Amino acid sequence: MILIKLGGSVLTNKEKSYSFRTRIAKRLLKEIDKSSIDKFIIIHGGGSFGHPGAKKYNLNDGETEPSPEGLSKVQLDMRRMNNHLLELMHNQGMWAVSIPGGLVTSFENGELNKINKQIFKNYLALEVIPVGFGDVTIDTEKGVTICSGDDLVLGLSSIADKAVFVTNVDGIYKEREVVKIFEKEMYPLEENDFSVTSDAIDVTGGMNKKVEKMMRISQNCDTYIVNGEETERLRKILDNEEVICTEVRS
Ligand code: IP8
């Protein structure tokens, strides 16, 4: 089984609230569809749908009393984003079901401590494509927290062979060069290194936090970062062809 994380940085224009990049999303879905893989789960992040509201209502800081309005608003915004993707999938005959991250996980102090993998497996067995997404969720310590798409990938990595993070950069950079294989000695990234995300607003952590999560994921399955803005790169990585990307190892 392959996990494909479609990052908010490719699915939305992060500079502009609620701007779903339909053309890119359609192409990425086509690349997935025409690749040779047959069992996969798609996970997506929040981009300019989820992050601005999560920040505005302080849903991730663990200090501010969670506002019912904010909680409801960010959940609504994420479902709107998810609907954009699901509709595109449906229109091109990729039968999908939606799995909100907040309903299948539990968190303690901002850390994922449980995920319902069975529901993903059940849908896979029915030959539909589970589409999970980042969400607002209950946290036993903080009240609420943000479940990122990366948390879902981490939680599902033990049942995956491969995880592919589709972003808007070519991979992880060290001294301005994309590294083919990122190993744990290279962690943490320093100021001069570019990385997985150049997101303007990202409430779920800076790049080192993302890389650290990827290193944990790579203990369970092969883990790659690829640029979804370049055509065919996603398709090639799914088909195990040579392509510009970073493989994360730990
Ligand atoms: O973009 C965040 O998911 P991510 C989801 O994968 C929300 O970190 C609600 C901001």
Side-chain angles (χ1 to χ4, degrees), residues 2 11-12 26 28 58 67 73 75 106 108 117 131 139-140 153 166 171 197 204 213 229 239:
I2 318 279
L11 288 186
T12 69
K26 264 190 193 164
L28 290 171
N58 298 309
S67 115
K73 172 78 173 119
Q75 281 219 352
S106 65
E108 189 181 336
K117 298 188 204 71
V131 180
D139 187 297
T140 51
V153 176
V166 185
T197 173
T204 46
K213 232 169 247 177
E229 289 184 346
D239 286 338

Side-chain angles (χ1 to χ4, degrees), residues 165-217:
F165 287 84
V166 185
T167 70
N168 64 344
V169 288
D170 287 348
I172 300 178
Y173 288 74
K174 268 281 175 193
E175 284 145 20
R176 297 178 192 267
E177 295 276 336
V178 179
V179 290
K180 267 190 140 185
I181 298 175
F182 184 89
E183 285 170 308
K184 62 171 183 285
E185 297 72 43
M186 299 174 178
Y187 181 83
L189 296 169
E190 280 141 32
E191 230 168 87
N192 255 353
D193 305 328
F194 293 73
S195 181
V196 196
T197 173
S198 52
D199 298 347
I201 321 169
D202 186 342
V203 293
T204 46
M207 46 197 196
N208 270 317
K209 199 167 163 200
K210 275 183 187 282
V211 172
E212 193 260 335
K213 232 169 247 177
M214 286 176 188
M215 283 164 51
R216 281 161 66 194
I217 292 164

Side-chain angles (χ1 to χ4, degrees), residues 50 53-54 57 59 69-78 136 146:
Y57 295 101
L59 294 180
E69 180 190 342
L71 209 157
S72 165
K73 172 78 173 119
V74 176
Q75 281 219 352
L76 176 63
D77 288 342
M78 284 309 299
V136 182
I146 298 294

Side-chain angles (χ1 to χ4, degrees), residues 100-112:
L103 299 187
V104 294
T105 52
S106 65
F107 279 73
E108 189 181 336
N109 227 354
E111 291 287 318
L112 175 78

Side-chain angles (χ1 to χ4, degrees), residues 2 61 87 96 138 195 206 209-210 220 235 241 245 250:
I2 318 279
D61 70 1
E87 214 158 285
I138 298 295
S195 181
K209 199 167 163 200
K210 275 183 187 282
N220 289 333
R235 206 263 316 143
E241 289 176 21
C245 68
S250 59

